[in-house]
């Protein structure tokens, strides 16, 4: 009897041991995902941001007017008849020229979000490439590459961006390129620092000892280990990009009609607010502010989730 | 110390040169010069104008003449758009305005941000702290081009307290809104940096020792904690300064204050390359000079740094 129970215990134990062996190791990413999900502000922000993105992509299908159509019946008296209304199909009212503000905001949201995303991707990809190469190469190459970054860093880039737009024409592509070019420097510095500390680790030495060429070491062994840092940094870049684009467009140097963005819409709203057409300012402002808030909390959440310091 | 200054200048000079060359080349490669207009000028006239402004010479020579002019006589050449004005005159008109509200905003950001950050750290998790945190987050998503119009909406259109724009020789009611618009987001950042750095310093061992010796709390903070806690704020002063300069473009645009930003943006619309180049170089030089000052200040405060 006794031996039976004992063997049963043993059996259970043995099973547990087998189970324990099968328990998956918790990777950095599972950990990070769990931590991020616990951060309520960040999770809400993700949903808000998704909602705005869906609005930018599919909102156009619900518009009663196109973004270029002028509603002649309202044009003369925008302040009295142009306010937001369901009846005449202008959900957000009309802008100064009698165009449907709903359609304009959909269009502007798309462009602003895209600038944020693509600008950040350009900056991250180029900065990672530059930083990883510089850090891995080390020595004199590293010195020269980083001196170049230092010099470019102290150039006031706002001016260069305006110049690029003036010289090559104000196209969206130029804004993407210009803003992306401006902001890879920070990424390059961070990535280089991390690469320096990674390149003497055992797995890199092992790769080098087995004759793996440098470019494969950089992109297969070093860069994947930097993803955490890169994602955090990139997520903080997105609001910066949107801000920069809005800044430039607010000055009238950014996107050109008939295209628009949050900055351009806010600028238009500012010019007409004294006539009482406040919705033209407040609606784009609302979208801009809500997205900036969300991106701020998401960036914060990602940093908390991925930053190894707090572990 | 001298070594650092020299080394900084060794970087500053190539930086300014790079800036000049990039700017110059960019402008030169622009389609359509400053003198292209709806009605094409007769070739003879165009040639005369180009000779007058020196743009018929080879590129390197133009650039050389320009740099020599700037370095030896501080002469940025004539404006391409306004025939009777030099860039120097335009700068002389715009710079005092920009500097006035720029310096005031800088002081506001630092002199409000630092004390607020310190109080938030000392009284962690009290009303002051929550206020400072909320302020930091709200100010971060309200950049100057959003804040400026909102201020006008409240204080000019609704309350009618302040003039909605103009400069009026720097009479103080005209300064209030530009300074608030320009300084708020940097004030918030300074507060946040000051708070977190103060919190970190207050947890360190030597602060515990000082308290254990029975030194009154306010002296612990002023004499022991303040200096190391200031360091991150000081290294942030460079970005604050740059923010004041670029932000001045928005201030000029929203409040019609007529500073350098107004002339720069106008020049960008008119393809007035001389003005753009002059303003870029001047503000670039100011930025570099200011960063040097910040580095020196850093060295004075942090004894661990030896040059």
């Amino acid at each position: 009897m006794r031996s039976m129970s004992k063997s049963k215990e043993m059996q259970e134990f043995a099973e547990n041991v087998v189970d324990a062996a099968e328990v998956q190791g918790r990777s950095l990413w599972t950990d990070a995902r769990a931590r991020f999900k616990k951060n309520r502000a960040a999770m809400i922000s993700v949903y808000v941001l998704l909602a705005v993105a869906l609005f930018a992509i599919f909102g156009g299908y619900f518009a009663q007017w196109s973004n270029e159509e002028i509603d002649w019946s309202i044009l003369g008296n925008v302040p009295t008849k142009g306010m937001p209304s369901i009846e005449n199909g202008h959900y957000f009212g009309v802008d100064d020229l009698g165009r449907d503000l709903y359609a304009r905001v959909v269009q502007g949201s798309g462009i602003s979000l895209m600038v944020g995303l693509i600008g950040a991707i350009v900056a991250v990809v180029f900065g990672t490439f530059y930083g990883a190469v510089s850090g891995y190469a080390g020595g004199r190459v590293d010195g020269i590459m980083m001196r170049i970054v230092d010099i470019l860093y102290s150039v006031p880039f706002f001016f260069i961006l305006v110049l690029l737009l003036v010289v090559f024409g104000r196209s969206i592509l130029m804004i993407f390129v210009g803003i992306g070019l401006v902001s890879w420097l920070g990424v390059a510095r961070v990535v280089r620092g991390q690469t320096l500390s990674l390149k003497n680790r055992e797995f890199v030495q092992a790769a080098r000892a087995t004759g793996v060429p440098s470019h494969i070491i950089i992109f297969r062994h070093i860069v994947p280990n930097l993803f955490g840092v890169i994602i955090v940094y990139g997520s903080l870049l997105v609001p910066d990009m949107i801000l920069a684009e809005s800044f430039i467009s607010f000055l009238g140097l950014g996107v050109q009609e008939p295209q628009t963005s949050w900055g351009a819409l806010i600028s238009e709203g500012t010019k007409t607010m004294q006539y009482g057409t406040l919705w033209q300012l407040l609606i784009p402002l609302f979208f801009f502010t809500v997205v900036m808030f969300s991106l701020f909390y998401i960036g914060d959440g990602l940093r908390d989730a991925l930053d190894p310091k707090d572990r | 110390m001298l070594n650092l200054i020299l080394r900084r200048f060794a970087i500053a000079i190539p930086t300014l040169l790079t800036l000049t060359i990039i700017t110059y080349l960019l402008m030169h490669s622009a389609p359509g010069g400053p003198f292209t207009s709806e009605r094409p000028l007769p070739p003879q006239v165009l040639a005369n104008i180009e000779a007058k402004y020196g743009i018929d010479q080879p590129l390197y020579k133009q650039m050389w003449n320009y740099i020599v002019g700037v370095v030896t006589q501080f002469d940025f050449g004539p404006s391409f758009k306004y025939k009777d004005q030099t860039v120097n005159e335009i700068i002389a008109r715009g710079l005092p305005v920009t500097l006035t509200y720029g310096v005031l905003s800088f002081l506001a950001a630092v002199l409000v941000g630092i004390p607020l950050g310190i109080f938030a750290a000392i009284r962690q998790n009290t009303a002051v702290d929550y206020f400072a945190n909320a302020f930091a987050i709200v100010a971060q998503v309200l950049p100057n081009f959003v804040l400026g119009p909102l201020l006008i909406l409240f204080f000019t259109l609704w309350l009618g307290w302040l003039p909605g724009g103009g400069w009026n020789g720097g009479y103080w009611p005209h300064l209030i809104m530009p300074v608030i618009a320009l300084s708020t987001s940097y004030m918030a950042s300074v507060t946040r940096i000051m708070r977190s750095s103060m919190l970190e310093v207050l947890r360190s061992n030597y602060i515990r020792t000082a308290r254990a010796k029975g030194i009154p709390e306010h002296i612990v903070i002023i004499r022991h904690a303040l200096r190391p806690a200031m360091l991150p704020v000081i290294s942030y002063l460079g970005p604050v300064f740059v923010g004041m300069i670029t932000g001045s473009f928005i201030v000029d645009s929203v409040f019609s204050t007529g500073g350098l930003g107004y002339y720069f943006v106008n020049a960008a619309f008119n393809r007035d390359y001389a003005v753009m180049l002059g303003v870029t170089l001047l503000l670039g030089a100011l930025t570099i000079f200011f960063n040097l000052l910040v580095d020196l200040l850093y060295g004075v405060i942090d004894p661990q740094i030896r040059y």
Side-chain angles (χ1 to χ4, degrees):
Chain A
M1 212 38 199
R2 208 184 136 83
S3 70
M4 272 276 285
S5 76
K6 198 171 188 182
S7 75
K8 203 174 172 189
E9 259 170 39
M10 287 296 277
Q11 210 166 3
E12 268 172 18
F13 180 69
E15 270 167 20
N16 282 341
V17 167
V18 171
D19 274 357
E22 277 174 2
V23 164
Q24 283 228 324
R26 296 208 304 168
S27 78
L28 168 78
W29 298 103
T30 346
D31 259 12
R33 207 175 304 131
R35 256 198 303 269
F36 189 81
K37 275 188 183 153
K38 260 192 232 152
N39 187 334
R40 195 176 295 159
M43 283 311 283
I44 293 175
S45 299
V46 168
Y47 290 123
V48 170
L49 195 62
L50 270 180
V52 176
L54 288 178
F55 169 78
I57 298 169
F58 298 111
Y61 294 114
F62 302 103
Q64 306 285 323
W65 300 76
S66 90
N67 54 347
E68 290 179 38
E69 235 173 312
I70 291 172
D71 189 344
W72 298 101
S73 68
I74 292 178
L75 184 56
N77 13 356
V78 171
T80 49
K81 278 191 186 164
M83 53 263 290
S85 113
I86 305 281
E87 279 163 39
N88 59 14
H90 298 297
Y91 307 132
F92 292 173
V94 297
D95 74 359
D96 198 33
L97 296 175
R99 288 173 298 187
D100 184 29
L101 196 59
Y102 176 82
R104 299 272 290 161
V105 171
V106 170
Q107 187 194 12
S109 304
I111 288 181
S112 284
L113 288 176
M114 231 162 51
V115 168
L117 201 63
I118 298 184
I121 290 175
V122 170
V124 161
V125 168
F126 191 71
T128 305
F129 179 78
Y130 193 94
V133 168
S134 175
Y136 188 76
R140 185 174 292 169
V141 178
D142 182 37
I144 292 172
M145 285 176 87
M146 279 300 124
R147 215 33 23 85
I148 292 175
V149 170
D150 284 347
I151 287 181
L152 290 179
Y153 221 91
S154 45
V155 170
F157 256 107
F158 170 76
F159 297 98
I160 303 293
L161 182 54
V162 172
L163 271 180
L164 281 174
L165 289 171
V166 169
V167 169
F168 294 109
R170 290 187 263 145
S171 65
I172 302 237
L173 185 73
M174 214 52 232
I175 294 178
F176 286 150
V177 173
I179 294 181
L181 277 181
V182 170
S183 37
W184 62 273
L185 297 165
V187 184
R189 276 190 175 167
V190 172
V191 167
R192 172 199 172 250
Q194 298 279 321
T195 307
L196 280 182
S197 68
L198 275 180
K199 76 172 181 185
N200 292 323
R201 297 268 288 273
E202 291 83 350
F203 67 94
V204 177
Q205 281 173 351
R208 212 178 301 161
T210 48
V212 181
S214 301
H215 64 273
I216 293 185
I217 296 187
I218 291 177
F219 292 109
R220 195 168 299 160
H221 297 284
I222 289 183
V223 171
N225 276 297
L226 297 176
F227 276 158
V229 182
I230 294 172
I231 286 177
V232 171
Y233 207 92
S235 74
L236 296 174
L237 274 180
V238 177
D240 283 356
M241 305 284 112
I242 294 180
L243 204 64
E245 190 278 328
S246 299
F247 188 99
I248 296 277
S249 291
F250 184 90
L251 289 174
L253 298 168
V255 291
Q256 265 183 314
E257 292 283 344
Q259 278 163 332
T260 192
S261 73
W262 287 329
L265 289 169
I266 292 171
S267 165
E268 282 168 25
T270 310
K271 282 173 194 143
T272 58
M273 67 183 175
Q274 58 209 13
Y275 308 119
T277 55
L278 275 185
W279 66 88
Q280 293 174 358
L281 172 64
L282 294 181
I283 291 173
L285 200 58
F286 170 78
F287 276 86
F288 176 83
T289 319
V290 162
V291 166
M292 293 307 276
F293 257 117
S294 315
L295 288 170
F296 175 79
Y297 280 117
I298 293 173
D300 224 41
L302 282 175
R303 192 172 39 200
D304 288 347
L306 286 167
D307 194 348
K309 251 198 294 189
D310 294 340
R311 202 156 299 150
Chain B
M1 191 69 104
L2 188 68
N3 200 350
L4 173 88
I5 298 178
L6 288 180
R7 215 169 31 193
R8 271 335 193 81
F9 269 108
I11 290 192
I13 289 165
T15 306
L16 281 176
L17 267 181
T18 319
L19 189 60
T20 319
I21 293 170
I22 293 177
T23 328
Y24 216 98
L25 289 181
L26 270 177
M27 289 172 177
H28 207 80
S29 59
F35 308 116
T36 26
S37 51
E38 301 271 308
R39 259 189 320 171
L41 296 167
Q44 191 57 46
V45 177
L46 197 62
N48 278 340
I49 294 180
E50 288 189 341
K52 185 193 166 203
Y53 287 100
I55 46 183
D56 55 340
Q57 289 171 338
L59 186 59
Y60 70 92
K61 217 167 185 175
Q62 287 179 38
M63 219 186 305
W64 176 249
N65 287 340
Y66 184 81
I67 293 173
V68 167
V70 170
V71 172
T72 57
Q73 298 162 19
F74 207 69
D75 175 16
F76 289 101
S79 159
F80 282 3
K81 189 74 190 176
Y82 303 105
K83 286 165 195 66
D84 46 351
Q85 289 184 19
T86 64
V87 178
N88 286 32
E89 283 166 1
I90 289 176
I91 287 177
R93 219 171 316 136
L95 189 62
V97 175
T98 303
L99 281 185
T100 308
Y101 62 69
V103 168
L104 283 176
S105 309
F106 186 83
L107 291 178
V110 173
L111 295 184
V112 177
I114 290 181
L116 189 57
I118 294 176
F119 274 113
I122 301 174
R123 309 246 180 281
Q124 199 189 356
N125 297 327
T126 63
V128 185
D129 191 23
Y130 295 140
F131 170 76
N133 268 332
F135 173 60
I137 293 174
V138 170
Q140 193 148 18
V141 298
L142 281 182
N144 41 28
F145 63 88
V146 172
L147 199 54
L150 288 180
L151 285 173
I152 294 187
L153 188 63
F154 282 112
F155 291 112
T156 307
L157 292 182
W158 288 354
L159 297 173
W161 288 354
L162 292 170
W167 184 239
N168 201 6
Y171 184 51
W172 65 268
H174 292 263
L175 280 170
I176 294 179
M177 288 197 294
V179 168
I180 295 179
L182 197 50
S183 61
T184 301
S185 74
Y186 293 95
M187 201 185 281
S189 302
V190 170
T191 308
R192 208 165 31 105
I193 295 171
M194 188 70 223
R195 172 181 177 273
S196 61
S197 124
M198 189 51 126
L199 278 179
E200 210 174 307
V201 169
L202 285 180
R203 275 197 291 263
S204 57
N205 287 333
Y206 73 93
I207 295 292
R208 192 182 308 136
T209 312
R211 280 179 181 152
K213 283 195 298 186
I215 297 176
E217 186 68 16
H218 65 276
I219 293 186
V220 170
I221 284 161
I222 293 171
R223 196 175 298 159
H224 296 255
L226 192 56
R227 202 156 121 163
M230 287 283 285
L231 290 176
V233 176
I234 286 176
S235 56
Y236 183 66
L237 291 183
V240 174
F241 184 80
V242 173
M244 296 296 144
I245 283 183
T246 47
S248 73
F249 291 72
I250 292 291
V251 167
D252 286 334
S253 159
V254 173
F255 298 103
S256 326
T257 32
L260 275 184
Y262 166 77
Y263 295 106
F264 183 81
V265 173
N266 251 358
F269 279 120
N270 295 331
R271 296 179 173 281
D272 192 342
Y273 299 144
V275 172
M276 289 183 81
L277 189 55
V279 173
T280 305
L281 278 184
L282 182 75
L283 295 183
L286 272 182
T287 310
I288 290 167
F289 179 70
F290 186 82
N291 280 331
L292 177 67
L293 275 186
V294 167
D295 275 7
L296 293 180
L297 187 61
Y298 204 91
V300 169
I301 290 193
D302 185 357
Q304 286 177 21
I305 293 190
R306 291 265 172 272
Y307 301 115

